[in-house]
Amino acid sequence: MANTIAMRKRIVRREWSRADVKELRRHSRDKTPVKTISRALKRTLGALRQKARVLGIPLGHRRPERRRA
């Protein structure tokens, strides 16, 4: 049991730099999928959505189109 506690991944929080915010705004303008932005900025989906909400910019505008039979 002690090994599993010691092996847990530690959460490391990073501040948002000006460059990160600028890139997030650019991705929002380009309507990039949130999953792609997450990989590019190395942040979670939740972190991206929270920051976008604080900045007042939209995220996640691209939904997959439904196929019609």
Side-chain angles (χ1 to χ4, degrees):
M1 183 82 170
N3 283 343
T4 56
I5 293 172
M7 294 175 65
R8 271 193 199 155
K9 187 173 181 180
R10 186 178 169 135
I11 297 172
V12 179
R13 298 181 184 198
R14 290 187 298 127
E15 293 291 324
W16 283 84
S17 68
R18 281 186 170 181
D20 289 339
V21 172
K22 191 174 182 178
E23 188 172 352
L24 182 62
R25 286 184 189 275
R26 183 179 55 80
H27 281 297
S28 175
R29 195 171 38 247
D30 294 343
K31 298 184 179 180
T32 308
V34 182
K35 196 171 184 180
T36 307
I37 302 170
S38 176
R39 286 191 200 123
L41 293 176
K42 295 181 182 161
R43 294 186 184 265
T44 63
L45 299 176
L48 293 174
R49 291 190 187 281
Q50 283 182 351
K51 190 61 176 180
R53 184 176 173 100
V54 168
L55 296 172
I57 58 176
L59 270 189
H61 351 255
R62 301 194 79 180
R63 294 180 184 262
E65 291 183 23
R66 296 178 117 188
R67 289 188 175 182
R68 295 192 176 166

